[in-house]
Amino acid sequence: MNATTSLLDAYAGVLLYPEQDHDVLVQLCLDRCGEDHPRIAERIVNYQSQIKALSLSAREELYIHTFDLNKAGTLDLGWHLFGEDYNRGLFLVKVRQYLQLLEIPETHELPDHVSQVLRVLGRMSPDDANKFAYACVIPAIEIIGEKIQAENPHDQLVQGLSELLR
């Protein structure tokens, strides 16, 4: 597994609903930034310091309010690109095909969830990943970033992801 795939997989894990191992996943993501991505690492450290004192239940609640109860902040990227339009269904099918082609196991999340899409990006050819990122992923991430308040710790993760993908 190359460094980009490793970092995108780690980022995908951090952007899932927080569980007991969340701190471990955040540290793994930070470690995988290495010296190659100091600005991204700084954002992850900021996120880490903001959530450190929160209990798991407080982290869960923050995640739910940021991404699940707020449709404008959903991590289902197709929704930001297409809303409830028929084209979202086509996008879901296309991402599911990539998951199958790249032998990425599906999770309980929809195929267009950022965690699934990051795993796809990390396994595509660099040229295809670049095209997909600029056509679909970055625009959706930027929309999410506009909806999250700056004082919300998740803003650091979303802004960092946007920078990483560029």
Side-chain angles (χ1 to χ4, degrees):
M1 183 179 310
N2 69 39
T4 300
T5 303
S6 220
L7 177 54
L8 290 174
D9 282 1
Y11 225 112
V14 171
L15 287 169
L16 288 169
Y17 183 79
E19 295 184 358
Q20 288 293 341
D21 64 347
H22 188 72
D23 289 333
V24 173
L25 294 173
V26 172
Q27 188 59 50
L28 178 64
C29 190
L30 184 58
D31 292 345
R32 291 194 175 158
C33 280
E35 296 175 7
D36 296 335
H37 304 286
R39 277 284 301 139
I40 311 309
E42 181 182 330
R43 288 197 178 273
I44 294 169
V45 167
N46 289 341
Y47 169 77
Q48 195 175 39
S49 67
Q50 290 176 333
I51 66 158
K52 190 173 192 166
L54 298 178
S55 67
L56 179 58
S57 62
R59 291 178 192 191
E60 292 168 342
E61 186 174 330
L62 177 63
Y63 184 93
I64 289 169
H65 284 285
T66 304
F67 300 122
D68 293 343
L69 294 180
N70 177 10
K71 194 65 171 168
T74 184
L75 293 175
D76 296 330
L77 303 184
W79 190 90
H80 295 289
L81 299 171
F82 307 109
E84 297 298 330
D85 187 78
Y86 173 79
N87 288 321
R88 179 171 182 217
L90 296 175
F91 183 71
L92 287 164
V93 168
K94 187 65 175 172
V95 176
R96 179 167 278 141
Q97 289 171 344
Y98 277 126
L99 290 167
Q100 292 169 351
L101 178 70
L102 298 168
E103 299 179 356
I104 301 168
E106 288 195 49
T107 67
H108 66 279
E109 299 292 352
L110 290 172
D112 67 340
H113 189 273
V114 70
S115 62
Q116 295 286 78
V117 171
L118 290 179
R119 289 183 175 102
V120 166
L121 277 177
R123 287 161 179 81
M124 291 176 132
S125 73
D127 188 49
D128 287 345
N130 195 41
K131 288 176 186 173
F132 184 46
Y134 277 93
C136 299
V137 184
I138 294 169
I141 295 297
E142 288 179 347
I143 291 168
I144 297 168
E146 292 170 2
K147 306 296 182 194
I148 299 175
Q149 296 178 350
E151 63 273 4
N152 184 324
H154 291 104
D155 181 61
Q156 292 296 310
L157 291 179
V158 172
Q159 299 304 328
L161 180 57
S162 181
E163 292 173 26
L164 176 64
L165 295 175
R166 291 189 172 280

